Short mmCIF file of all heavy atoms in Angstrom, two decimals:
data_model
loop_
_atom_site.label_atom_id
_atom_site.label_comp_id
_atom_site.label_asym_id
_atom_site.label_seq_id
_atom_site.Cartn_x
_atom_site.Cartn_y
_atom_site.Cartn_z
N ILE I 20 91.47 332.10 35.13
CA ILE I 20 92.03 332.17 33.77
C ILE I 20 93.49 332.55 33.90
O ILE I 20 93.83 333.55 34.55
CB ILE I 20 91.29 333.24 32.93
CG1 ILE I 20 89.81 332.89 32.81
CG2 ILE I 20 91.94 333.38 31.54
CD1 ILE I 20 89.51 331.66 32.00
N TYR I 36 87.56 318.81 39.48
CA TYR I 36 87.00 317.54 39.95
C TYR I 36 86.68 317.61 41.44
O TYR I 36 85.62 317.18 41.89
CB TYR I 36 87.99 316.41 39.68
CG TYR I 36 87.51 315.05 40.12
CD1 TYR I 36 86.27 314.56 39.74
CD2 TYR I 36 88.28 314.26 40.97
CE1 TYR I 36 85.81 313.32 40.16
CE2 TYR I 36 87.85 313.02 41.39
CZ TYR I 36 86.62 312.55 40.99
OH TYR I 36 86.17 311.32 41.42
N GLY I 47 92.82 313.13 22.47
CA GLY I 47 93.70 313.76 21.48
C GLY I 47 94.16 315.14 21.93
O GLY I 47 94.98 315.78 21.26
N THR I 59 109.22 326.72 23.57
CA THR I 59 108.85 326.93 22.16
C THR I 59 107.44 327.48 22.09
O THR I 59 106.57 327.08 22.84
CB THR I 59 108.95 325.59 21.41
OG1 THR I 59 110.32 325.22 21.33
CG2 THR I 59 108.39 325.69 19.99
N TYR I 70 111.79 329.47 18.87
CA TYR I 70 112.54 328.76 19.93
C TYR I 70 113.02 329.84 20.91
O TYR I 70 113.79 330.71 20.52
CB TYR I 70 113.77 328.07 19.37
CG TYR I 70 113.55 326.89 18.45
CD1 TYR I 70 114.60 326.46 17.65
CD2 TYR I 70 112.35 326.20 18.37
CE1 TYR I 70 114.45 325.37 16.77
CE2 TYR I 70 112.19 325.12 17.51
CZ TYR I 70 113.25 324.71 16.72
OH TYR I 70 113.10 323.64 15.86
N LEU I 92 118.23 324.53 25.57
CA LEU I 92 118.53 323.99 26.90
C LEU I 92 118.59 325.09 27.97
O LEU I 92 118.09 324.92 29.07
CB LEU I 92 119.87 323.25 26.89
CG LEU I 92 119.89 321.86 26.23
CD1 LEU I 92 121.33 321.37 26.12
CD2 LEU I 92 119.04 320.86 27.00
N PHE I 123 123.70 295.77 18.65
CA PHE I 123 123.25 295.73 17.25
C PHE I 123 123.26 294.30 16.72
O PHE I 123 122.43 293.91 15.92
CB PHE I 123 124.14 296.64 16.40
CG PHE I 123 123.91 298.10 16.68
CD1 PHE I 123 124.60 298.75 17.69
CD2 PHE I 123 122.95 298.81 15.95
CE1 PHE I 123 124.36 300.09 17.96
CE2 PHE I 123 122.71 300.15 16.21
CZ PHE I 123 123.42 300.79 17.22
N GLY I 125 122.31 291.68 17.90
CA GLY I 125 121.09 290.91 18.18
C GLY I 125 119.95 291.23 17.23
O GLY I 125 118.96 290.49 17.18
N ASP I 129 117.70 293.53 8.57
CA ASP I 129 116.61 294.30 7.91
C ASP I 129 115.68 294.96 8.93
O ASP I 129 114.58 295.40 8.59
CB ASP I 129 115.82 293.41 6.96
CG ASP I 129 115.13 292.25 7.71
OD1 ASP I 129 115.39 292.09 8.93
OD2 ASP I 129 114.35 291.53 7.06
N VAL I 137 115.27 302.63 19.18
CA VAL I 137 114.49 302.51 20.43
C VAL I 137 115.23 301.59 21.39
O VAL I 137 115.41 301.89 22.57
CB VAL I 137 113.07 301.96 20.13
CG1 VAL I 137 112.36 301.56 21.42
CG2 VAL I 137 112.23 302.98 19.38
N ALA I 142 118.83 301.16 25.97
CA ALA I 142 119.93 300.44 26.64
C ALA I 142 120.95 301.39 27.26
O ALA I 142 121.70 301.00 28.16
CB ALA I 142 120.63 299.53 25.63
N SER I 144 120.32 303.41 29.32
CA SER I 144 119.96 303.47 30.75
C SER I 144 120.68 302.39 31.54
O SER I 144 120.71 302.41 32.76
CB SER I 144 118.45 303.34 30.93
OG SER I 144 117.96 302.24 30.20
N PHE I 146 123.90 301.80 31.00
CA PHE I 146 125.35 302.07 30.90
C PHE I 146 125.79 303.31 31.65
O PHE I 146 126.88 303.36 32.19
CB PHE I 146 125.74 302.23 29.41
CG PHE I 146 126.01 300.93 28.74
CD1 PHE I 146 124.96 300.19 28.18
CD2 PHE I 146 127.28 300.39 28.70
CE1 PHE I 146 125.19 298.98 27.59
CE2 PHE I 146 127.52 299.17 28.10
CZ PHE I 146 126.47 298.46 27.53
N TYR I 147 124.97 304.32 31.66
CA TYR I 147 125.47 305.61 32.14
C TYR I 147 124.89 305.95 33.52
O TYR I 147 124.19 306.93 33.71
CB TYR I 147 125.17 306.70 31.10
CG TYR I 147 125.88 306.41 29.79
CD1 TYR I 147 125.18 305.92 28.70
CD2 TYR I 147 127.26 306.57 29.69
CE1 TYR I 147 125.83 305.62 27.51
CE2 TYR I 147 127.92 306.27 28.50
CZ TYR I 147 127.21 305.80 27.41
OH TYR I 147 127.85 305.50 26.24
N ILE I 153 117.94 311.74 38.70
CA ILE I 153 117.28 312.94 38.14
C ILE I 153 117.11 314.04 39.18
O ILE I 153 116.80 315.17 38.85
CB ILE I 153 115.92 312.58 37.52
CG1 ILE I 153 114.95 312.04 38.56
CG2 ILE I 153 116.09 311.59 36.38
CD1 ILE I 153 113.53 311.92 38.03
N ALA I 154 117.35 313.70 40.45
CA ALA I 154 117.24 314.74 41.50
C ALA I 154 118.49 315.62 41.51
O ALA I 154 118.51 316.71 42.08
CB ALA I 154 117.07 314.07 42.85
N SER I 181 122.37 298.25 9.15
CA SER I 181 121.32 297.81 8.22
C SER I 181 121.88 297.55 6.81
O SER I 181 121.28 296.82 6.03
CB SER I 181 120.22 298.88 8.14
OG SER I 181 120.66 300.00 7.38
N ASN I 234 104.11 318.33 21.22
CA ASN I 234 103.68 317.31 20.24
C ASN I 234 103.63 315.94 20.89
O ASN I 234 104.01 315.77 22.05
CB ASN I 234 104.65 317.32 19.06
CG ASN I 234 106.06 317.07 19.54
OD1 ASN I 234 106.47 315.94 19.74
ND2 ASN I 234 106.80 318.14 19.81
N HIS I 266 102.99 311.00 12.84
CA HIS I 266 103.94 311.93 13.49
C HIS I 266 105.25 311.93 12.71
O HIS I 266 105.22 312.16 11.49
CB HIS I 266 104.10 311.49 14.95
CG HIS I 266 104.79 312.42 15.88
ND1 HIS I 266 105.10 313.72 15.58
CD2 HIS I 266 105.24 312.23 17.15
CE1 HIS I 266 105.71 314.28 16.61
NE2 HIS I 266 105.81 313.41 17.58
N ARG I 316 108.40 325.66 8.85
CA ARG I 316 109.54 324.78 8.59
C ARG I 316 109.48 324.23 7.16
O ARG I 316 110.50 324.01 6.51
CB ARG I 316 109.54 323.64 9.60
CG ARG I 316 109.60 324.09 11.06
CD ARG I 316 109.29 322.96 12.01
NE ARG I 316 107.94 322.45 11.81
CZ ARG I 316 107.43 321.41 12.48
NH1 ARG I 316 108.19 320.75 13.37
NH2 ARG I 316 106.20 321.01 12.28
N VAL I 319 111.00 326.72 4.69
CA VAL I 319 112.48 326.70 4.69
C VAL I 319 112.98 325.44 4.01
O VAL I 319 113.90 325.44 3.20
CB VAL I 319 113.05 326.80 6.11
CG1 VAL I 319 114.58 326.75 6.10
CG2 VAL I 319 112.58 328.08 6.81
N LYS I 321 111.49 323.70 1.74
CA LYS I 321 111.24 323.75 0.28
C LYS I 321 112.39 324.50 -0.40
O LYS I 321 112.91 324.06 -1.44
CB LYS I 321 109.90 324.44 0.03
CG LYS I 321 109.47 324.47 -1.43
CD LYS I 321 108.08 325.08 -1.54
CE LYS I 321 107.63 325.25 -2.98
NZ LYS I 321 106.29 325.89 -3.07
N ASP I 329 120.17 321.37 -6.57
CA ASP I 329 121.02 322.16 -7.48
C ASP I 329 122.50 321.86 -7.19
O ASP I 329 123.28 321.57 -8.07
CB ASP I 329 120.72 323.65 -7.23
CG ASP I 329 121.37 324.53 -8.29
OD1 ASP I 329 121.32 324.13 -9.47
OD2 ASP I 329 121.97 325.55 -7.92
N MET I 375 120.53 313.32 -0.68
CA MET I 375 121.81 313.23 0.03
C MET I 375 122.33 311.80 0.08
O MET I 375 123.47 311.55 0.45
CB MET I 375 121.67 313.76 1.45
CG MET I 375 121.58 315.26 1.57
SD MET I 375 121.41 315.67 3.33
CE MET I 375 121.68 317.42 3.26
N PHE I 382 114.96 308.41 7.40
CA PHE I 382 114.39 309.76 7.55
C PHE I 382 113.92 310.01 8.99
O PHE I 382 114.25 311.03 9.60
CB PHE I 382 113.20 309.94 6.61
CG PHE I 382 113.53 309.93 5.14
CD1 PHE I 382 114.83 309.75 4.68
CD2 PHE I 382 112.52 310.09 4.21
CE1 PHE I 382 115.13 309.74 3.32
CE2 PHE I 382 112.80 310.08 2.84
CZ PHE I 382 114.10 309.91 2.40
N GLU I 400 112.97 320.85 31.91
CA GLU I 400 112.07 321.92 32.41
C GLU I 400 111.04 321.33 33.36
O GLU I 400 110.74 321.88 34.42
CB GLU I 400 111.38 322.59 31.23
CG GLU I 400 110.41 323.71 31.61
CD GLU I 400 109.76 324.38 30.42
OE1 GLU I 400 108.97 323.70 29.71
OE2 GLU I 400 110.03 325.57 30.18
N ARG I 413 92.35 310.85 33.72
CA ARG I 413 91.20 309.99 34.02
C ARG I 413 90.49 309.64 32.74
O ARG I 413 91.11 309.73 31.65
CB ARG I 413 90.28 310.72 35.03
CG ARG I 413 90.93 311.09 36.36
CD ARG I 413 91.50 309.89 37.09
NE ARG I 413 90.52 308.84 37.36
CZ ARG I 413 89.72 308.83 38.43
NH1 ARG I 413 89.77 309.84 39.31
NH2 ARG I 413 88.86 307.85 38.62
N GLY I 418 82.00 301.38 29.95
CA GLY I 418 81.94 299.90 29.93
C GLY I 418 80.77 299.36 30.71
O GLY I 418 79.83 300.08 31.05
#
Side-chain angles (χ1 to χ4, degrees):
I20 300 292
Y36 180 52
T59 292
Y70 292 163
L92 285 172
F123 289 87
D129 62 353
V137 168
S144 49
F146 276 86
Y147 298 104
I153 63 169
S181 74
N234 57 83
H266 192 11
R316 302 167 298 177
V319 178
K321 184 176 175 181
D329 190 42
M375 285 180 169
F382 293 1
E400 180 179 66
R413 301 302 303 274

